[in-house]
Each structure stands twice: as C-alpha cells, then as structure tokens.
Amino acid sequence: MVLDGADWRRFFDAYEHDAWRFEAQPTYTMPKEQENVARFLRGEAKPAGHNARWHERVRGYVESGRRIGRVRIVRRPLTDYQRYQFAWGIPGNIAAGEDIRVLDVTREDFGLPRSGRDWWMFDGTRIAHLNFRPDGTQINREAYEGDPTPYREWQRIALAHAVPFDEYVKGLGAPSGSMRLRD
C-alpha cells in the first residue's frame, strides 16, 4: 500500500513506543531542501528556524513518552548532502530529542543489506519502505506487508555497530557545525 500525504502522517504518528529509521541514501534530492543545500554549499549561515516543523514533531513524540531515532549509513568520502545534513540537519534533530547514530560502512557492511533502501520501523512490527531514484529523488513510501523479523535483525546489527553522531563527528576531526571534514 502506497503511503502519501495524510495516509503517511497517520501511519507514522500511530506508533506507540518506538519509531526507527534505517537511512541509507548518500544523497536526498528533496525539493524543499534544495535551496538550503545550495546555501550550505555556498558557505552561508543556516537560516533561523531550519527544519522547525520536524523538530516540533520530534519534541511532541518525546514529550508523549515515545522514542524516535535512526542510524545514518555513510561511506567515505561524505557526499555534499551528508555534509549538509551533518552540519545543518542532524544537530537540531538531536536537540529536539531524536537519537541519531552513524554507521560508517566504508570498510565493512556488517552483513546489512546492500540495497540502499531506506525504511522506518514502528514498534518493531510495522515497516514502511522509502523508495528513491538513484539521484535521491523520492518515488514513494509504501507499507511493507511481510515478516518484520529481518528488519529487527538489521536494526540490531546497525545499532550494535553505529556510534552516536557527536562521537562520529569528533572522529572526523571537525566540530559538527563546521563540517569541513577531512576524509
């Protein structure tokens, strides 16, 4: 079942305890973000209120006693989009209450699927695939109707090998706000 607009929001917001994302795309080509990515690449300052709607949603989930998190899969060198995300996106998401970790698969894939597919898992039972074109443009979201067991195992593996975002950034030798990373 394809999940668009209000259907996606209802599917997402219905979780009771945990929402968790496996985030694997090296680049996302999201129309709403393109101007901000360009600003970041030009070295401009982050606009006030950047990603405020998502931060408000995250705070609401956390205040209601629910958890939300993700593991961001990366391969070095980081893409321009990942550098943008690390500098302008992830720190604000964490401040809002999201648990974000990074798994660098440059040298080892840890047995995770190599499909590059993103997905959300809700309460360990409901899965939503996020489908993208090779350029990072989202095609759609769809509810997965199969067995969630492999997804729980992939989540376990990803969490076992990922490090907290701030720890990963320190290992790169740059403060999270600068993202002039050496690879």
Side-chain angles (χ1 to χ4, degrees):
M1 169 175 75
V2 173
L3 300 166
D4 288 323
D7 289 337
W8 169 240
R9 182 71 185 254
R10 279 191 294 276
F11 188 89
F12 192 107
D13 288 346
Y15 85 92
E16 295 180 18
H17 305 286
D18 298 294
W20 188 82
R21 182 171 176 177
F22 185 84
E23 189 172 45
Q25 302 301 306
T27 298
Y28 296 91
T29 307
M30 308 301 278
K32 293 179 185 177
E33 288 184 324
Q34 293 312 293
E35 181 55 33
N36 281 330
V37 173
R39 286 178 179 162
F40 168 77
L41 293 175
R42 289 189 303 261
E44 296 177 17
K46 179 170 70 171
H50 180 266
N51 214 12
R53 287 180 54 201
W54 178 247
H55 298 159
E56 184 179 314
R57 284 182 68 191
V58 169
R59 281 191 291 276
Y61 298 138
V62 172
E63 289 168 3
S64 72
R66 297 181 282 176
R67 292 182 299 272
I68 185 166
R70 68 183 75 205
V71 167
R72 179 67 173 105
I73 306 298
V74 299
R75 290 185 197 289
R76 291 204 211 171
L78 298 179
T79 65
D80 286 345
Y81 183 85
Q82 289 168 334
R83 291 186 318 102
Y84 155 76
Q85 210 179 35
F86 277 31
W88 285 18
I90 292 174
N93 294 0
I94 291 170
E98 192 173 352
D99 176 24
I100 301 179
R101 298 167 185 267
V102 178
L103 178 56
D104 192 324
V105 296
T106 303
R107 293 189 176 98
E108 182 178 352
D109 67 12
F110 303 100
L112 293 168
R114 298 191 66 106
S115 68
R117 170 174 276 159
D118 284 31
W119 44 274
W120 278 97
M121 180 167 51
F122 303 96
D123 299 323
T125 59
R126 293 182 308 119
I127 310 295
H129 289 167
L130 286 68
N131 300 310
F132 294 88
R133 291 184 180 91
D135 72 352
T137 303
Q138 189 171 47
I139 300 166
N140 63 21
R141 299 173 205 95
E142 62 183 330
Y144 172 72
E145 303 294 332
D147 182 3
T149 303
Y151 293 85
R152 287 193 296 265
E153 178 61 10
W154 295 328
Q155 178 192 37
R156 186 196 65 73
I157 292 168
L159 287 170
H161 296 285
V163 296
F165 172 74
D166 287 338
E167 185 178 324
Y168 184 78
V169 170
K170 284 179 194 167
L172 293 172
S176 63
S178 75
M179 283 300 110
R180 299 296 173 221
L181 307 173
R182 61 177 195 256
D183 290 315

